[in-house]
Every structure is written in C-alpha cells, then in structure tokens.
Amino acid sequence: MTTERYAGRKVRIGGGSAYFADSALGVPQLLAAGGLDYLIFDYLAEASMGMFGRSRQASPPALYPPDFLTVHVGPHLHEIARQGIKVIANAGALDPLGLARAVEEKVAAEGLSLKVAAVTGDELIQRVDELRASGVRDMFTGAPFPDKVLTANAYLGAFPIASALARGADIVITGRVVDSAIVLGALVHEFGWQPDDYGKLAAGTLAGHLLECSTQVTGGTFTDWEAVEGWEAIGFPIGEVASDGSMILTKPEGTGGLVSVGTVAEQLLYEVSNPADYVVADVSCDFGAVRLEQLSPDRVHVSGARGRPPTPWLKASVTFDMGWRTTGLTPIIGESAGAKARRQGQALIERGRSLLRARNLPDFSGTSVVVIGEEASYGPHARISGAREVVLKLTVDHPMVEGAGMFAREQASGITTMSVGTSINLATTVQPLTGLFGFLLPRETVTPIVTMSGESWPVPIAPGRTSEISAPVVASAVPEEDMATVDLIDLAWGRSGDKGSLFNVAVIARNPDWIGWIAAAMTPETVGEWYRHFSPDGSLPRVDRYAVPGFSALNFVVHGCLGGGILSGAGVDPAAKSMAQLIMRFPVAVPRSLAATLHAETLA
C-alpha cells in the first residue's frame, strides 16, 4: 500500500456525540450535510463507566446506554445505510456484544443488511484479585488497589476497529477504547497505515481528539462566547482527513457555532497533560509543533503532529464503591446571606454527627460547605461579598446509605431551626459515591477480540518501547522600562478539564507575539498560588508547565486539587470546566504601548 495510492484522497468524518447523553441535534444535521464516510460517537468517560458498573448490579442489569439505539443511530439507520456511511462508537460500555446483538436485531427489523461488529478484550474485572495481589498503585496518587471494584478496563486502540472494517463491518461497537481510536481506526483502515507509521498514527490521533468531543471544537464552551452565534443550532464537527493525517476541520454549512484557530486550539489542549507526550494505545504523540491555519471562515487546517513508538503499557482504569453521598441545595436570602449560609451549613453537619453517634453509626467520611453566589470558586480573587441571595450547597459522604439518608432528611430542617431567609430546598439527592483508580498495564497482557457474523478473531497488540521525549520551551519576554498590567483574557484564550484529582489549564496566545509576556508572568509558582485555595491543606499545589510553540500556548497541570474530580469531587465544579475561567483575570505585565492598544480595542 503506497502513499501515492491515497494521494489527494480525503476521508470525511462527522463527530456525532461527546458523551452518551449528547444532543439529538447532531446526527440529522450531519446526515443533511452529506458526503460523510463515517459517523463516530464517543460515549464513555470515567463517570459513565462507574454508572454502568453500578447498574450491572441491578436487576435486570443495564450494561450500555440505550441512546445509541433510541436517539443517535437507531432512528437514522435507513438514511445512514442509504448514504453508505459507516458508524464507529464506543457505546458498548460493559457489554459490546450485547449492544451489537441489539443493533443487529434493529437492523433486521428495519429490513436492512448492515454488518455489525463488536470489539471486546478491554474487560479486566476477572483479573481484579490478580491486579491487587501484584501491588499495582494509582498512577497519579500512589494509592493502593481499591476494594469494592465496580469496573476495571484497559484502554484499547484503533487496530481492532480497523480489522473489523477490513472484514466488511458497517457498524463497529466497542467497549473501553482510547477516545480518539474511534477516528484513528477508520483512518488506519482507509489509508492502510501500519503500526510503525508513528507520524501518521499521531496525526490521526489528533484528528480523533478534535472530533470526539463534538461541538466543543466548533464554538461550544469557547472563551470568546459572545463571538459564537447560533448556539441553538450549533454545528457538529466534520473532519476532512488526508492520507498524511492532516485535517481540515469544519462544520455543516448554515449551522451555528464557530470553527477558528481559537476554538480548535482550545479543544486540542483539553484534558491534555504534556502535549509533547500524549500517550495512547497505538502511539506516543508530540503535539508541540502542531500548526493551525485559518483557511476560510469555519475551515481550519491542522497539521504537524509527530509520533514515536507506543510505550510498553496500556492505560487502565478502575471505578470502585466509596459509599454514599448526600447533596442538598438550599436558597438563603436576606442580609449577610453568605455568612448565614456558612454558619447554617456547619451547624447542620455537627447536628448530623450527633445523630450518627446516637445511632452508633460511623462518622461522615467527608463533608463540604459551599456558598454559591459569593464567587466561592475564586477564593481570594472573589469580587463579590455580602450577597443577599445565595445557595447553600451541603455535601456529606458516608459509608452507609442509612447515614446518608439520615442527613438528607435532617438538613432540610434548617428552614425552621436556623437562618432567617432560608427557603425550601431546591434539590436533595442521595447517591452512590464512586472513586477512580488509574494504572498502567503491560500491553502484552491484553488481547482485543473482534466478533462479527458469528465469527471471532484476536487482533494482537503491537509491542511498545520507551523513547526519548524532547521538551519544547517558550522564552519569557524581557521586561522593558515602561510596563503596564493587563488581564490574561486580553491576551489569551483558555480551556480546562479534569483527570481525577488533577486538572489542566491551557492558555493560548491570541497573537503569537504575546506568548513571551504570558510566559514571564505565568510560572508554575504563580499559577500554583492562584489556585492555592483548592489545595486540600492550603499548601502550594504542584504545577507542571508545558510549552506548545506550534500555536503559541502554555499548558498547566495542577495536581491534587479536585478531590477525585468528576466522580467524587464535592466543589461547585468537580469537572474543572471553569478552571480556565477562574484565571482569566490573572495579571500580565506587558509594554505600556501594547496595553494601551488592548484597552483601546476593549473600549471600542
């Protein structure tokens, strides 16, 4: 298979969902656009795996989301078949074979003849005792292997998907795979890429990383939100991928949203640690020299990804039972509402503890009092105090449902026994609490299996090896004599996201000439100080800073500040979606002439 064979060819891929409950808008819109070769759906995240781990224990068990059949693909099977579009989705969750059978039944009932394949082999639940005995530790915190495991899965790569397509699959259902693999698998198949085509695999991984989060790359959650028109009909992404892995990212004509260097750069660094060492199952990627070029409105060319061999490991993830969580949301209105809410929250927790003791139940395993309405997330950078309308968010964790349920009942009594201005609870929930444990698994211990039309076959994983990483740097600008301070938002876009207890904050210069001033101001120490109030013991958190010279960006990784992240964090934003917003008023010293220009543009 030579490069010349594919010269000039483009594979068009539509991103239909970023999670299983994503909008129903995307698929009809992408089908109406026409000309697609593939529709891809990213359904799984750590939180959803934990949810299905618990629902596996129900009767009857629910092992995969129904949305694939009822919302995203099932209602559109005839049109998908008519257009000859192939579908790839990690929608199988804990039972890819079960979902594949259900899709086959739907296909038959619709009188169609589409071939459905399932990719399995990611499931590690039968190996939990072995893994615990081996002394595996959490890759971020060093914590020991947990008890009460709900799910255990390795992150598979793209080649099993490509194998299914090569044997004629029209729809490929996987369990836990690397998110970007649902795109990379299609590209491996279409362009004949081999396991040692590291540069192309890295480029295809980048294409997948940009497409799998649906409208987050087409203007959703963009820093300059006011510049994004048409949220009500925002366009889902389309990638036009060439045989070298470079891509033009766009969206259906006439839809809302925005595809710009800024929107693409934000998504490129979303939930990334070291951009020069983005490790997935099939390749180790270096995104440090990636180039983003605005070709025309809503068309951005992406190129420059570099690749190295994959590591000897696969990432694996465990979710486990941590007990129960009660959350109550109570409005408190009137003078000094915040002070009243804080006092009420602490009093209710102490009252709850006395009731637990009276019933010989253990203490709470965690508590949190957050006042929404006085910029609690901003800590010392808050600009609002003395608010007269707030919402008290009370969270307690308990090992037993009885303890959580007791507090759910008792916390509502604040309306009659505590602060004046307390209103009726907006919501009170008692839910299972799930923990996350991530580790590395020798890649040779996992074998993906593809099943289609009653036949199953293994797809061996290529060996990996360690390789040297080059760490790009961005030079800090040298201060001049006449300097002035501006806010970071004047100079940069930002995007953030969680990974367990750490989060990343990407800062992308609006103008490449400004990155030196940003780098001079935003050191690991100054950024750590900005987020210190999230540190559980008030100490300066560890912050790693990575340079991305290809598109003039810095990526910060802040450790140990999310309390477990989206699964178990008790703050206002455990998913860290707001962390970039919280730093947008970070002061950056720039030449006074530049500050005057920026302020003039702001006032214009």
Side-chain angles (χ1 to χ4, degrees):
M1 296 184 179
T2 63
T3 302
E4 291 76 15
R5 174 181 174 182
Y6 303 105
R9 184 176 169 203
K10 295 285 182 72
V11 175
R12 281 173 52 92
I13 302 173
S17 71
Y19 61 109
F20 69 83
D22 207 346
S23 172
L25 173 71
V27 176
Q29 180 195 94
L30 290 166
L31 291 174
L36 293 182
D37 299 297
Y38 289 87
L39 274 171
I40 59 100
F41 300 88
D42 180 23
Y43 265 35
L44 301 181
E46 288 81 3
S48 50
M49 293 300 285
M51 181 185 74
F52 289 114
R54 290 190 180 277
S55 62
R56 174 157 54 189
Q57 301 170 350
S59 182
L63 301 178
Y64 54 79
D67 307 70
F68 189 81
L69 280 169
T70 60
V71 177
H72 290 134
V73 173
H76 307 287
L77 275 173
H78 279 277
E79 185 61 18
I80 288 170
R82 188 188 72 79
Q83 293 191 30
I85 299 171
K86 294 184 182 293
V87 174
I88 306 172
N90 58 6
L94 301 184
D95 189 10
L97 290 170
L99 178 56
R101 286 192 294 270
V103 173
E104 286 175 331
E105 292 172 1
K106 175 74 171 175
V107 166
E110 296 288 335
L112 299 170
S113 57
L114 302 174
K115 296 179 72 173
V116 184
V119 176
T120 57
D122 59 300
E123 182 72 77
L124 304 174
I125 198 71
Q126 302 300 326
R127 297 175 56 185
V128 162
D129 291 341
E130 167 202 337
L131 292 167
R132 186 181 292 112
S134 72
V136 170
R137 294 265 171 174
D138 185 275
M139 60 193 295
F140 298 114
T141 67
F145 200 91
D147 297 321
K148 300 181 180 179
V149 169
L150 299 169
T151 63
N153 299 80
Y155 289 69
L156 303 181
F159 283 88
I161 296 170
S163 178
L165 295 170
R167 296 208 189 185
D170 299 293
I171 299 173
V172 183
I173 306 294
T174 79
R176 201 61 173 114
V177 296
V178 176
D179 295 346
S180 55
I182 57 178
V183 169
L184 182 58
L187 300 176
V188 166
H189 167 64
E190 292 289 338
F191 294 128
W193 293 346
Q194 299 302 304
D196 59 354
D197 287 330
Y198 302 129
K200 294 174 182 177
L201 295 178
T205 296
L206 176 56
H209 178 63
L210 292 171
L211 289 168
E212 55 90 3
C213 263
S214 73
T215 56
Q216 283 193 162
V217 76
T218 58
T221 73
F222 184 41
T223 300
D224 295 348
W225 60 274
E226 292 172 305
V228 183
E229 298 181 353
W231 280 352
E232 66 279 3
I234 191 167
F236 278 63
I238 295 173
E240 301 171 354
V241 189
S243 60
D244 64 354
S246 63
M247 176 175 70
I248 294 172
L249 201 142
T250 186
K251 63 184 182 67
E253 187 175 351
T255 59
L258 174 69
V259 180
S260 70
V261 168
T263 68
V264 175
E266 281 195 9
Q267 177 56 29
L268 197 158
L269 292 178
Y270 174 62
E271 293 186 340
V272 168
S273 290
N274 183 355
D277 191 31
Y278 186 75
V279 177
V280 294
D282 299 306
V283 63
S284 298
C285 307
D286 181 352
F287 298 153
V290 166
R291 296 178 297 278
L292 305 176
E293 180 186 0
Q294 191 83 48
L295 300 179
S296 59
D298 292 325
R299 290 180 68 82
V300 171
H301 187 256
V302 183
S303 62
R306 297 178 293 204
R308 301 184 308 277
T311 72
W313 312 93
L314 294 180
K315 179 184 174 184
S317 181
V318 165
T319 61
F320 60 97
D321 183 6
M322 292 178 62
W324 295 83
R325 167 166 290 178
T326 296
T327 302
L329 299 173
T330 304
I332 297 179
I333 303 165
E335 300 300 321
S336 302
K340 291 185 289 191
R342 282 183 284 275
R343 179 180 172 186
Q344 181 161 316
Q346 294 297 340
L348 285 167
I349 287 172
E350 290 307 312
R351 179 185 290 183
R353 284 196 166 109
S354 67
L355 291 171
L356 290 174
R357 289 192 295 268
R359 301 182 188 186
N360 292 317
L361 293 175
D363 192 7
F364 299 123
S365 52
T367 64
S368 173
V369 177
V370 177
V371 177
I372 301 172
E374 288 196 334
E375 298 191 351
S377 297
Y378 284 84
H381 317 294
R383 295 185 176 181
I384 295 176
S385 62
R388 295 183 295 177
E389 182 178 276
V390 301
V391 173
L392 169 62
K393 181 186 179 187
L394 269 182
T395 303
V396 302
D397 301 333
H398 198 270
M400 303 166 64
V401 68
E402 293 88 347
M406 179 277 298
F407 187 79
R409 181 186 185 283
E410 191 61 31
Q411 57 86 36
S413 68
I415 194 170
T416 56
T417 65
M418 294 188 181
S419 172
V420 59
T422 300
S423 187
I424 297 172
N425 278 49
L426 299 175
T428 304
T429 60
V430 177
Q431 295 180 321
L433 181 62
T434 303
L436 178 66
F437 177 92
F439 65 103
L440 298 177
L441 189 70
R443 59 195 296 118
E444 67 272 10
T445 65
V446 176
T447 302
I449 303 292
V450 181
T451 301
M452 184 172 67
S453 302
E455 181 186 2
S456 296
W457 64 94
V459 182
I461 294 177
R465 67 176 189 264
T466 57
S467 54
E468 193 170 324
I469 301 167
S470 60
V473 296
V474 171
S476 298
V478 178
E480 301 179 5
E481 287 188 8
D482 193 13
M483 303 287 284
T485 298
V486 298
D487 291 333
L488 177 63
I489 197 169
D490 297 325
L491 302 171
W493 300 295
R495 174 71 65 82
S496 56
D498 80 304
K499 280 297 176 187
S501 286
L502 60 80
F503 61 89
N504 87 295
V505 178
V507 175
I508 305 112
R510 298 172 183 271
N511 184 319
D513 295 337
W514 300 344
I515 190 63
W517 304 114
I518 297 170
M522 301 187 75
T523 66
E525 292 74 24
T526 58
V527 170
E529 189 61 48
W530 193 269
Y531 291 116
R532 182 194 284 267
H533 59 287
F534 287 104
S535 178
D537 61 0
S539 62
L540 191 71
R542 171 189 159 194
V543 177
D544 302 321
R545 187 179 87 165
Y546 301 102
V548 194
F551 51 96
S552 304
L554 296 172
N555 194 46
F556 298 90
V557 179
V558 184
H559 294 259
C561 287
L562 278 185
I566 193 169
L567 281 172
S568 56
V572 177
D573 179 26
K577 300 292 188 182
S578 67
M579 291 299 177
Q581 286 292 296
L582 299 185
I583 206 168
M584 281 291 118
R585 296 298 177 186
F586 189 96
V588 179
V590 299
R592 190 170 298 277
S593 58
L594 173 57
T597 301
L598 292 170
H599 291 159
E601 291 175 353
T602 302
L603 294 172

